[in-house]
Amino acid sequence: MMYGDSGFGNGCSRYGARGEPRFRRGRRGPGDLRGGRGPFRVCSYYPSSSSASTPSYAQQLEGDRVSSPRWLEFDQAYFQSYSHVGIHEEMIKDRVRTDTYRAAIMRHQHFIAGKVVMDVGCGTGILSIFCAQAGARRVYAVEASEIAVQASEVVKENDLSDKVIVLHGRVEDVDIEEKVDVIISEWMGYMLLYESMLASVIFARDKWLKPGGLILPSHATLYMAPVTDGERYRNSIDFWRDVYGIDMSAMLPLAKQCEFEEPVVDTISGENVLTWPFAVKCVDCYTVTAQELESITTKYRFTSMMQAPLHGFAFWFDVEFSGPPMLQLNNHLHFPLANSSSEFYAHGSSHRKKRVKSDEVIVLSTAPEDAPTHWQQTMLYFYEPIEVKQDQIIEGSVTLSQSKENPRFLNIHLEYSSGGRSFVKESVMR
């Protein structure tokens, strides 16, 4: 097989001056992680030397990486990135995201009213407040970053301190002395699994959720599809062929590496998609385990619907807000289960057609044909496009795995074949 990655290493680092990862969901801000302030509980997420002999849940799950100074530095940078107001502003201003969560909370108000809710990664506390407004008796708003300080003030200013309790610390470390009826979390990263926050939701589910409890969102599906994107190549690559009348083609190899070595978060339209999508992974939040998310491998096979250059693959996701399985059975509601998101795409339909959705299910979609969100789509571009004809087969496999360097990073191994040629592209989402 031909390898699609080059071996250049000239000035294309995706790290800051101190070698910290640039977590992509929003802007990173200054500041350090300090002890907590204000009238709420503070739980350090660093293992202390006095407790080193007793492994935490995360240590058991991740082994030696948790005690590694480099791993701790990455984890610190991760939580620190969520201490900056910009990232929360971006997420809250995403009306598709925020309105869908509020609609889902109100759809399940009968299950939330008078009950105990846990919000995993509450940020500014907006989802916790929505739950309180829906009648929750108590909401535990758990947040590991310093934005918990402001979340506590927001709760106080809205006269909800009697209902919403802000806990400053990782969900793996906080102390809650009762079971909860509902877990809500906006855990999805780019490409769904980037940041590995779902593991924290799973931990909370296994430790605190009552039998028959509600998880929002309940299901998630990651999709992929081959795409054509000539405009991206023209703007980023072909630009160097003629720069103010100067031939700068010598820049092309480096430009391709810097532009396409790592996944690119960008917005495309349905017009860029060459086929209808393939479901890479369906997640049932009621049953999924952290271990099964450590590495995901699947084979795919597409048939191109048009003649066009194949520039790479796009990834996006949907999440559903369905009731718990017990509730579905008792009320005879036909909510989709773990693999239901993939069924929203009518088999055999054009990639330009809207998906078939059930009126009973609230869905947050990041698909190219739907309203744009701050997640956009994640693109994995090739260094060289492949010309494909209509009805030509594009097939291969994709493996997504947590990085051993940092479990919040996502390793991507893509094998693809078309027209008698085979390639491999390896990339890391940092």
Side-chain angles (χ1 to χ4, degrees), residues 258-403:
C258 290
E259 196 69 25
F260 303 141
E261 181 179 25
E262 293 187 0
V264 176
V265 176
D266 203 355
T267 298
I268 60 171
S269 72
E271 299 296 320
N272 296 107
V273 182
L274 293 176
T275 72
W276 58 286
F278 173 81
V280 175
K281 177 65 177 179
C282 298
V283 175
D284 182 344
C285 294
Y286 291 105
T287 61
V288 66
T289 66
Q291 287 72 25
E292 73 179 84
L293 298 174
E294 291 177 359
S295 183
I296 297 165
T297 299
T298 188
K299 294 182 178 180
Y300 60 83
R301 181 181 173 90
F302 298 102
T303 302
S304 179
M305 294 180 174
M306 65 181 76
Q307 179 172 337
L310 169 61
H311 290 108
F313 288 90
F315 294 81
W316 65 87
F317 63 86
D318 291 348
V319 294
E320 304 170 17
F321 297 83
S322 301
M326 186 180 300
L327 184 66
Q328 295 171 27
L329 293 175
N330 290 344
N331 292 349
H332 304 289
L333 298 177
H334 301 291
F335 290 125
L337 293 177
N339 62 351
S340 56
S341 290
S342 60
E343 295 171 359
F344 285 148
Y345 283 91
H347 290 276
S349 65
S350 166
H351 66 283
R352 291 189 179 89
K353 293 182 180 178
K354 286 285 185 180
R355 287 158 299 142
V356 179
K357 294 182 179 179
S358 165
D359 292 334
E360 294 178 328
V361 180
I362 292 179
V363 177
L364 169 56
S365 172
T366 66
E369 72 269 22
D370 286 321
T373 70
H374 78 280
W375 286 284
Q376 303 176 279
Q377 290 82 44
T378 300
M379 313 296 299
L380 206 61
Y381 286 107
F382 306 152
Y383 289 119
E384 299 294 340
I386 302 172
E387 291 294 330
V388 297
K389 300 177 180 178
Q390 185 173 347
D391 298 325
Q392 185 170 320
I393 300 299
I394 305 164
E395 60 185 344
S397 65
V398 61
T399 297
L400 309 176
S401 58
Q402 294 177 7
S403 170

Side-chain angles (χ1 to χ4, degrees), residues 63-76:
D64 293 337
R65 283 176 293 177
V66 171
S67 57
S68 164
R70 189 61 171 161
W71 193 96
L72 290 174
E73 181 183 346
F74 281 136
D75 213 30
Q76 180 180 9

Side-chain angles (χ1 to χ4, degrees), residues 52-176:
S53 60
T54 304
S56 68
Y57 171 82
Q59 285 175 308
Q60 296 172 25
L61 185 64
E62 301 295 348
D64 293 337
R65 283 176 293 177
V66 171
S67 57
S68 164
R70 189 61 171 161
W71 193 96
L72 290 174
E73 181 183 346
F74 281 136
D75 213 30
Q76 180 180 9
Y78 171 70
F79 289 119
Q80 183 174 326
S81 71
Y82 280 91
S83 298
H84 193 264
V85 68
I87 189 170
H88 299 281
E89 178 184 347
E90 179 186 33
M91 291 188 290
I92 291 173
K93 284 183 175 178
D94 182 344
R95 297 300 299 266
V96 174
R97 165 198 179 269
T98 307
D99 285 344
T100 302
Y101 266 87
R102 181 163 58 177
I105 289 168
M106 298 312 297
R107 170 72 64 87
H108 295 284
Q109 184 175 11
H110 64 285
F111 204 96
I112 294 172
K115 301 296 180 61
V116 179
V117 178
M118 175 182 284
D119 181 358
V120 179
C122 72
T124 58
I126 188 168
L127 300 185
S128 297
I129 292 174
F130 286 164
C131 289
Q133 292 173 340
R137 176 167 56 88
R138 184 177 299 110
V139 182
Y140 292 104
V142 184
E143 175 58 42
S145 80
E146 282 287 296
I147 205 71
V149 176
Q150 286 72 35
S152 183
E153 293 301 318
V154 169
V155 168
K156 185 187 301 182
E157 289 177 358
N158 285 273
D159 297 322
L160 290 171
S161 298
D162 59 328
K163 287 188 175 183
V164 180
I165 302 171
V166 178
L167 301 178
H168 186 188
R170 299 189 324 158
V171 73
E172 292 85 354
D173 300 324
V174 299
D175 182 21
I176 298 175

